[in-house]
Amino acid sequence: MSVFNQSRARVIQIIFVVIFIIIAIQLINLQLFSNQYKIAAENNAIYRKVIYPDRGIIYDRQKKPILENTIMFDLMVTPGETRGTDTGLLCKILNIDTSEYRKRIVTAIIKNTSYKPSIFEGLLTQELYAKLNENMYRFPGFTLSDRSVRSYPYHTAPHVLGYIAEVDTSFLRRNAGQGYQMGDYTGMTGLERTYEKVLMGQRGIKLFLRDNKNRIQGPYENGMYDSIAVAGRSLYTSLDVDVQQLAEKLLQNKIGSAVAINPKTGGIIAMASSPGYDPNELTGSFRRKNFSRMFLDTAKPLLNRAIKGQYPPGSTFKPLGALIALDQRLITPSFGVPCCGAYYACGIRVNCTHKDCHHSQNVRLAIANSCNSYFSKVFQMVVDNPKINNPRNGYQIWKDYVNGFGLGVKLEVDLPSENAGNIQDTSKYDRQFGSRKWGSCFALTLGIGQDRMLATPLQMANMMCAIANKGFYYHPHFVDSIENENGEDKAMLAKFRKKHQVVNISDSAYEAVFAGMEDVTIYGTATRSRIPGVRMCAKTGTAQNPHGKEHAMFVAFAPRENPQIAIAVVVENGGYGSTSAAPIASLMIEQYLHDSISTPRLAEVERLAKMDLMPAAIKKWYYRRDSIRQSKIQIDENTPVENAVEDRKNTFDPEAEPGRKETPLPEQKNKMPIIAPDQRKNKKPNITT
């Protein structure tokens, strides 16, 4: 044999030896070390059922459960085990076609592989569950899994409580390592999201042995590897469900918000945002449909205006403006300003409602009569303080006071997505006017809560807490305590239990301001909102709105001595604060302090609930949308009338039918709830409060 042939034979031998060694190593690995096929075999032989625990309950301040749990069922599918399924019958029961069936199977495989169960149809109605349950033997690879879902017995506080929804792939990526998997539900908004770790509990697992025909034979290893589901822990809140329901009723047919806080603790008594919705609409089998409708609705019923809406506070800011000037000793309680209807400094005419030249003789009268001239002058004195001799520094001192009372900063409430409002920094004025070229005249209307000042209703209510407490507040919050609190819980709630000291302003300054605020309800701008037997300190406000009628504002606390509640109400396009916002706040305060509304005032509740303050453009938009929807409804001549009515009910869109009780109120299309700085930059306002 030639040397060439010998070399070639040697190479072939080496190749065979290498292949044999590789095969041998792989066999050894599969037999002794790898559990890949063992797991695959067990997955075929073992059925893994997830036991979802009950989520924790949320209670109001009187231990009433404002949300509960109920049982619903999901139809689960394991795509690799669906051979032999009667797809025609399944599609008929679910009212889907075969293309939708295949689409869902592919989606389940992409999300969770062929060998793990995924949700095929979630949160079944009782009727659908009954139909499926009696035919499950025809659907191999499909199982019915029970799940605890939320129910809301009081139909209230949707923006506070939030909602839960199924996790998606992006959520799983963000929360990798926290034990979530496809098919799990989690809190998406509100308290459900903030306290998810407390409320969610711990899932349990049960393993069952299956035979070669995929039939359950019994527990795997007698339940040795099963784990028990642990229910979530409950939350005890400061929310008063009666005040909350009243606030939502009074805000019907309006766009706005109301926030009430206990100044002694910072606990939020009520937080209503209108338009709203019934929280039961975002649970159960119609959740996705309802959510899509609300998400696309220009009324933004999902928006919590109490923490997201930003408005010029208007004249509700004036008590704080007086306190700042009093603390800096630029004015005294007896300080007066001559005003016969307008203020003309800086070449800007700032109107007052009152023409009486004696309505601004002192702090008390100026607050009671809401004198724009007085507080424009006071703002000028603070910024142009001769002791500082630098308007830029004077403005910064004023800003520090305002931030200290909680305006222009996040209050860290235990809800996600809070907005901070706006108290503009000096650097922004520097860029606009030049660092040495601007002074009080460039932002004169800040003294009456206008210009670039923006605040959320929560911040306005918190400002009242700080004033009522004479210089301190607790961070606003809902949750007072957690069931079986541990160290982590206490650390989370610690900031809500710590007093936040603002500034040491003298009691005499506060008493001067209190006197003026009490006079607001005695002979001032809110006399019709007095509560018999209650000394209430209040302030009305009217905020300019370039997109329509002015916004109505009202802030208050009561009683004057030993305050129990502080409140802020905003009604968009509501006009004067005394006509719409003040009566709402007055009734909420009465309900909280007396646990009821007096009989003579019950008619006022109904009057306010029926008061329609929607802009005409919104009504026109609704009417047009309703007409379009009506034209799309066709009743087949072979369809029973009762079925057609039921179909109409199931596709009912509250925003398209403003005559119905459930209708949430819309927000003006493309409407901004604030006055944009650019629109006010060069504008000389002609303001009336």
Side-chain angles (χ1 to χ4, degrees), residues 185-248:
Y185 277 59
T186 187
M188 293 293 180
T189 61
L191 297 178
E192 294 275 22
R193 177 177 172 182
T194 303
Y195 295 95
E196 166 67 14
K197 290 184 178 179
V198 175
L199 294 168
M200 68 179 291
Q202 182 177 332
R203 293 184 302 272
I205 301 294
K206 284 190 176 183
L207 302 178
F208 298 92
L209 189 64
R210 297 187 288 197
D211 63 13
N212 60 346
K213 294 185 178 180
N214 203 35
R215 294 174 298 193
I216 300 295
Q217 298 300 301
Y220 175 70
E221 296 290 341
N222 294 321
M224 181 184 301
Y225 300 103
D226 293 351
S227 60
I228 300 174
V230 179
R233 291 178 291 143
S234 297
L235 304 178
Y236 299 94
T237 72
S238 54
L239 198 73
D240 188 307
V241 71
D242 296 324
V243 180
Q244 178 72 27
Q245 288 182 307
L246 176 64
E248 292 178 7

Side-chain angles (χ1 to χ4, degrees), residues 123-190:
L123 302 177
L124 306 172
T125 63
Q126 291 185 358
E127 181 183 2
L128 195 55
Y129 168 75
K131 290 181 179 179
L132 287 168
N133 192 40
E134 66 183 10
N135 289 284
M136 286 306 294
Y137 68 95
R138 299 184 182 185
F139 311 135
F142 289 86
T143 57
L144 291 169
S145 177
D146 59 315
R147 180 188 298 277
S148 175
V149 297
R150 294 303 208 185
S151 64
Y152 304 86
Y154 292 97
H155 306 269
T156 192
H159 301 97
V160 174
L161 301 176
Y163 61 87
I164 60 175
E166 185 180 354
V167 301
D168 55 19
T169 52
S170 61
F171 179 91
L172 293 176
R173 284 195 300 270
R174 293 193 308 268
N175 297 273
Q178 295 190 21
Y180 290 99
Q181 60 186 23
M182 293 304 300
D184 286 350
Y185 277 59
T186 187
M188 293 293 180
T189 61

Side-chain angles (χ1 to χ4, degrees), residues 12-266:
I12 293 172
Q13 290 174 357
I14 291 173
I15 291 173
F16 274 104
V17 170
V18 170
I19 293 173
F20 176 79
I21 293 173
I22 291 173
I23 293 173
I25 291 174
Q26 182 64 11
L27 287 172
I28 293 171
N29 178 57
L30 291 175
Q31 291 290 332
L32 301 180
F33 303 107
S34 175
N35 59 357
Q36 176 183 353
Y37 291 100
K38 179 183 178 182
I39 292 174
E42 288 181 348
N43 284 338
N44 289 330
I46 299 173
Y47 171 65
R48 181 177 181 269
K49 182 178 181 180
V50 178
I51 308 300
Y52 292 98
D54 287 342
R55 288 178 70 87
I57 306 300
I58 300 179
Y59 296 91
D60 84 336
R61 72 185 186 97
Q62 296 177 338
K63 302 299 186 295
K64 298 177 183 177
I66 48 182
L67 62 73
E68 298 173 335
N69 294 306
T70 188
I71 298 296
M72 295 190 74
F73 288 86
D74 294 332
L75 179 63
M76 309 293 293
V77 62
T78 305
E81 302 173 357
T82 57
R83 181 175 297 178
T85 291
D86 187 346
T87 56
L89 178 60
L90 181 61
C91 290
K92 182 179 179 181
I93 293 175
L94 296 178
N95 195 25
I96 61 175
D97 54 27
T98 53
S99 62
E100 175 65 17
Y101 172 87
R102 288 191 294 269
K103 179 182 176 182
R104 294 189 185 186
I105 292 293
V106 171
T107 301
I109 294 172
I110 293 172
K111 285 184 175 181
N112 218 19
T113 76
S114 298
Y115 302 102
K116 292 182 180 180
S118 300
I119 295 178
F120 188 83
E121 179 83 10
L123 302 177
L124 306 172
T125 63
Q126 291 185 358
E127 181 183 2
L128 195 55
Y129 168 75
K131 290 181 179 179
L132 287 168
N133 192 40
E134 66 183 10
N135 289 284
M136 286 306 294
Y137 68 95
R138 299 184 182 185
F139 311 135
F142 289 86
T143 57
L144 291 169
S145 177
D146 59 315
R147 180 188 298 277
S148 175
V149 297
R150 294 303 208 185
S151 64
Y152 304 86
Y154 292 97
H155 306 269
T156 192
H159 301 97
V160 174
L161 301 176
Y163 61 87
I164 60 175
E166 185 180 354
V167 301
D168 55 19
T169 52
S170 61
F171 179 91
L172 293 176
R173 284 195 300 270
R174 293 193 308 268
N175 297 273
Q178 295 190 21
Y180 290 99
Q181 60 186 23
M182 293 304 300
D184 286 350
Y185 277 59
T186 187
M188 293 293 180
T189 61
L191 297 178
E192 294 275 22
R193 177 177 172 182
T194 303
Y195 295 95
E196 166 67 14
K197 290 184 178 179
V198 175
L199 294 168
M200 68 179 291
Q202 182 177 332
R203 293 184 302 272
I205 301 294
K206 284 190 176 183
L207 302 178
F208 298 92
L209 189 64
R210 297 187 288 197
D211 63 13
N212 60 346
K213 294 185 178 180
N214 203 35
R215 294 174 298 193
I216 300 295
Q217 298 300 301
Y220 175 70
E221 296 290 341
N222 294 321
M224 181 184 301
Y225 300 103
D226 293 351
S227 60
I228 300 174
V230 179
R233 291 178 291 143
S234 297
L235 304 178
Y236 299 94
T237 72
S238 54
L239 198 73
D240 188 307
V241 71
D242 296 324
V243 180
Q244 178 72 27
Q245 288 182 307
L246 176 64
E248 292 178 7
K249 179 176 181 178
L250 296 174
L251 284 170
Q252 286 179 158
N253 306 312
K254 305 167 190 67
I255 303 171
S257 177
V259 180
I261 306 175
N262 182 346
K264 293 183 176 297
T265 64

